[in-house]
Amino acid sequence: QKEVEQDPGPLSVPEGAIVSLNCTYSNSAFQYFMWYRQYSRKGPELLMYTYSSGNKEDGRFTAQVDKSSKYISLFIRDSQPSDSATYLCAMSAQGAQKLVFGQGTRLTINP
Amino acid sequence: GAVVSQHPSRVICKSGTSVKIECRSLDFQATTMFWYRQFPKQSLMLMATSNEGSKATYEQGVEKDKFLINHASLTLSTLTVTSAHPEDSSFYICSATIDSATNEKLFFGSGTQLSVL
């Protein structure tokens, strides 16, 4: 079993829709949870960073962590074509050390 | 955000040759740099962690004699793929941080696509 599971998609939604991206994990030692956006053949860009259960909001993005269920989500409201990218969840037990990434979900927002 | 420059962005080489990839932190001093590998449609896999002035720490299953990492200064780390073979073809990404205790200050390079013929 992989430490982090993420549905690779692809996921295609119309512009303006609410997008929900999810990851599950098995290692209860993970304390830091991140969402990255990666455009084709580019390095990941940090979108959201959380270290506790609950919700964190930043503009159109909301990150949700449920440690009891070992489940994290990223919600994108009012999705835009420019949001089309691969979204990677990542987590670690120790800060920036040993980040474990999900497989990435390829998202397309259709105009 | 801080900038991490990775060069080259794409390299094609013949089997048996060595390839060097550079990772530079342009506007900050990186105490720690990380090297990842990403195969198509797969997640990034951590290969090694390097701290300036000391030997890199390799993840299980990563051959340290094949993937040579040098972190000679606070702004530069290099990954050399020695005697490259077609199975080494992959997307290699570096990241750098000024504070390994937090992921908020971890920045990624734009990656290097290595194709070994």
Side-chain angles (χ1 to χ4, degrees), chain A:
Chain A
Q1 183 190 8
K2 292 181 183 177
E3 278 192 289
V4 179
E5 298 273 3
Q6 182 177 7
D7 185 341
L11 180 62
S12 182
V13 301
E15 184 176 354
I18 296 174
V19 176
S20 172
L21 304 168
N22 312 294
C23 287
T24 59
Y25 62 96
S26 58
N27 188 344
S28 57
F30 288 146
Q31 298 184 61
Y32 304 92
F33 305 92
M34 282 71 60
W35 285 95
Y36 288 88
R37 177 172 60 196
Q38 184 179 25
Y39 293 109
S40 182
R41 290 294 165 249
K42 297 292 183 185
E45 169 194 10
L46 181 64
L47 280 177
M48 299 290 283
Y49 166 73
T50 57
Y51 55 87
S52 60
S53 284
N55 293 354
K56 181 177 181 179
E57 191 173 315
D58 184 1
R60 296 185 294 110
F61 298 92
T62 299
Q64 193 172 74
V65 174
D66 183 348
K67 286 187 178 180
S68 62
S69 301
K70 296 190 179 69
Y71 186 90
I72 68 171
S73 300
L74 177 71
F75 298 96
I76 307 174
R77 291 184 300 280
D78 187 25
S79 55
Q80 306 292 314
S82 57
D83 294 329
S84 298
T86 296
Y87 289 79
L88 300 153
C89 64
M91 40 200 86
S92 70
Q94 275 184 286
Q97 305 289 344
K98 293 186 182 292
L99 279 186
V100 180
F101 283 85
Q103 191 175 346
T105 299
R106 195 169 182 183
L107 172 67
T108 300
I109 308 297
N110 301 304

Side-chain angles (χ1 to χ4, degrees), chain B residues 3 15 28 33 42 44 54 59 61 64 69 74 97-98 114:
Chain B
V3 177
S15 185
F28 67 100
M33 289 188 172
Q42 293 189 28
L44 278 76
S54 60
E59 294 301 301
K64 59 183 178 182
I69 292 172
L74 284 171
T97 182
I98 55 175
L114 171 63

Side-chain angles (χ1 to χ4, degrees), chain A residues 41 43 49 95-96 98 102-103, chain B residues 41 43 59 100 103-104 109 113:
Chain A
R41 290 294 165 249
Y49 166 73
K98 293 186 182 292
Q103 191 175 346
Chain B
K41 297 185 180 180
S43 59
E59 294 301 301
S100 61
N103 289 297
E104 288 184 292
Q113 180 65 52

